[in-house]
Amino acid sequence: MVGTPGTPAPSDIPAPSGAPAPSTPRGTSGAPFRVGLIGFGLAGSVFHAPLIAATDGLVLDTVVTGDPDRRRQAVAEHPRVRCAASPEELWPRAAELDLIVIASPNRTHVPLARAALTAGLPVVVDKPLAATAAEAEELAALAEERGLLLTAFQNRRWDNDFRTLRHLLDQGALGDVQRFESRFERWRPKPKGGWRESGDPAQIGGLLYDLGSHLVDQALTLFGPAASVYAEMDVRRPGAEADDDVFIALTHTGGVRSHLWMSATTAQLGPRFRVLGSRAGYVKYGLDPQEAALREGRRPGTEGERWGVEPESAWGRLGAGESPATGGGDPVPSLPGDYPAFYAAVAAALRDGGAPPVTAREAAEALRVLEAARISAAGGRTVPITGAA
C-alpha cells in the first residue's frame, strides 16, 4: 500500500519504554476501541480508515501523517479524527488508544509494530508483515509474551472469488484439487515510481512482496503448507527497478500444485482463478469489486447489502470437458466480497481475547515462501521449504 511522506526511517523510530501488558481485554466497559492509524496514503485512506469507520465497536481516533494535504483529507473524511505528525506522538498516549494500525511504507512495518507492542498496544499491520519470516516470528513472540493481538491485513481472504472458491471446496464440488492457478495481472507499461517500485532492497518493493503476499497467503490458506518453491522474477519495463513480472510454482505438502502469476506487464489478462479437480474445474475472470468501490468513495456503511456484490455476468463457471469461454460449465453465483469482516473479527478478538483473523505465524509462513521464491529465481532452481510437514 502507498506510504505516508514524513514517516521516519526505521532507525529513526525509537522503541518506547516498556509498558505493562493489559491484564484484562480492552474495551470491557463497552466503549468502542480507539484506533490510531499510522499512514494515510492509499492503504490508510482507501482501505483501513473506511473499514475501521464502518466497524461496530471501533472508532478512528488518530491519523498519523506528516503530509499537510493528507491531514486535511483525513479531517474532511473523518471530521472527529485527531491528527499527529509522527508515530512518536502516539506512544505517550498509549493509555488513550486500544489498537494501532500500521499502513505506512513496508520498511517501517517491523520497527513500528515493535514500538506499538512495547507500548502495550495491539497491532494490525498492512501486508507484508515484515521482510523476512524471522522478523515476523520475532514480532509474534513479542505479541505472545505481552498478551497482545498482532495480525496482518490480508484482506484478499475476503474477496468474493476467494470466498466462493472456498465454499466450492468445502462442498467438494471439484473433487480432489490437483492444480490451483491464481493471477493478479495488470497492464501498466510505464512505471509509476515511488517506494513500491524502488530497487532498493531496504524498501521491500516489487510485485513479489506486494501482490505475491496476497497470492501466496491465499494458496496456503486453501491448500496448506508448501513443501517446495520454484519462481521466476523479471524486471521488464524500461526504467523499472524492481520485479514487475513474477511466476511462482508451489508444491503443497498435500500434493496440490499452485501456479501463481503477478505482473504489471500483461497485455492480455488471464483468469483470476482456474482450479482443476478430479470431478470438475472452476474458472473465474475479473477482480473483486470492493477495491474499485472504495477508490470511488463508496462505503460499506452506506451500501448495505449491495456491498461486494457483483453482476451475474462476472460470475465464474463450474464444469468439466468444455471451455467457459464457449459457454461450458454452469455459472456459480459469487458470494459477496466482505472486507468489513476483517475488522469485525479484529474487534471481536479485542473484546473477547480470541484469535485474530490472520495470525502472525501465518504471515511468517507466507514470508518463508516469498524468501524461498527469491532464492529460487536467483538460482534457477527449486527450493525446499525448511520445516515443511
Side-chain angles (χ1 to χ4, degrees):
M1 304 304 181
V2 172
T4 305
T7 303
S11 60
D12 298 330
I13 302 172
S17 58
S23 57
T24 58
R26 292 172 179 263
T28 52
S29 65
F33 296 102
R34 300 155 297 181
V35 181
L37 172 60
I38 301 175
F40 207 69
L42 172 62
S45 65
V46 173
F47 287 91
H48 293 279
L51 294 175
I52 292 165
T55 303
D56 289 338
L58 298 180
V59 61
L60 186 59
D61 180 280
T62 304
V63 166
V64 177
T65 174
D67 186 307
D69 290 336
R70 290 180 179 177
R71 290 167 73 98
R72 286 189 286 270
Q73 178 189 352
V75 172
E77 295 176 358
H78 307 277
R80 299 175 68 99
V81 77
R82 294 186 281 182
C83 290
S86 71
E88 291 82 2
E89 296 181 36
L90 297 183
W91 315 140
R93 294 179 45 219
E96 302 173 15
L97 298 168
D98 303 302
L99 176 68
I100 295 296
V101 175
I102 298 170
S104 48
N106 289 351
R107 63 184 173 82
T108 68
H109 287 184
V110 169
L112 285 174
R114 186 186 298 118
L117 292 168
T118 302
L121 288 163
V123 183
V124 173
V125 184
D126 202 273
K127 61 81 193 167
L129 176 61
T132 67
E135 289 177 324
E137 294 282 5
E138 173 203 329
L139 292 178
L142 178 59
E144 291 164 4
E145 173 189 327
R146 302 187 66 75
L148 295 168
L149 175 142
L150 172 63
T151 187
F153 184 63
Q154 288 289 357
N155 58 303
R156 296 293 182 175
R157 293 190 189 185
W158 290 269
D159 275 0
N160 66 339
D161 45 26
F162 184 78
R163 295 188 69 226
T164 303
L165 173 57
R166 203 168 189 179
H167 179 66
L168 290 173
L169 296 177
D170 289 343
Q171 289 183 320
L174 280 72
D176 295 327
V177 173
Q178 299 160 353
R179 189 177 305 278
F180 171 59
E181 298 178 4
S182 177
R183 294 170 173 84
F184 276 150
E185 295 175 327
R186 298 165 173 166
W187 176 236
R188 294 179 177 173
K190 294 183 179 180
K192 291 184 175 181
W195 68 264
R196 288 167 66 82
E197 295 187 331
S198 170
D200 181 355
Q203 296 289 349
I204 321 173
L207 285 189
L208 178 66
Y209 274 76
D210 182 15
L211 301 180
S213 294
H214 288 309
L215 293 178
V216 169
D217 176 76
Q218 289 186 335
L220 298 182
T221 299
L222 291 174
F223 303 113
S228 63
V229 180
Y230 168 79
E232 301 168 2
M233 295 174 57
D234 292 288
V235 181
R236 299 198 180 275
R237 296 171 297 174
E241 299 178 3
D243 51 281
D244 56 11
D245 188 23
V246 181
F247 168 72
I248 302 176
L250 304 181
T251 300
H252 296 267
T253 56
V256 176
R257 295 186 185 273
S258 290
H259 286 180
L260 315 176
W261 288 263
M262 57 227 73
S263 177
T265 66
T266 304
Q268 290 286 344
L269 307 184
R272 174 68 187 89
F273 286 143
R274 189 170 82 120
V275 192
L276 306 178
S278 61
R279 182 180 303 166
Y282 173 67
V283 178
K284 174 71 171 69
Y285 281 83
L287 293 175
D288 175 279
Q290 293 176 93
E291 178 174 346
L294 289 166
R295 286 175 178 267
E296 293 167 3
R298 293 157 56 195
R299 298 293 181 255
T302 56
E303 293 279 311
E305 293 184 356
R306 297 173 297 170
W307 181 258
V309 174
E310 68 177 4
E312 184 175 348
S313 60
W315 291 353
R317 299 184 78 88
L318 176 73
E322 293 182 275
S323 169
T326 56
D330 299 317
V332 178
S334 296
L335 296 176
D338 194 11
Y339 290 171
F342 174 86
Y343 272 109
V346 168
L350 290 173
R351 182 178 62 249
D352 304 328
V358 180
T359 71
R361 302 291 182 182
E362 289 171 334
E365 285 306 305
L367 286 164
R368 221 177 307 281
V369 171
L370 297 181
E371 289 181 84
R374 192 177 292 281
I375 295 170
S376 171
R381 61 186 179 88
T382 298
V383 175
I385 300 296
T386 303

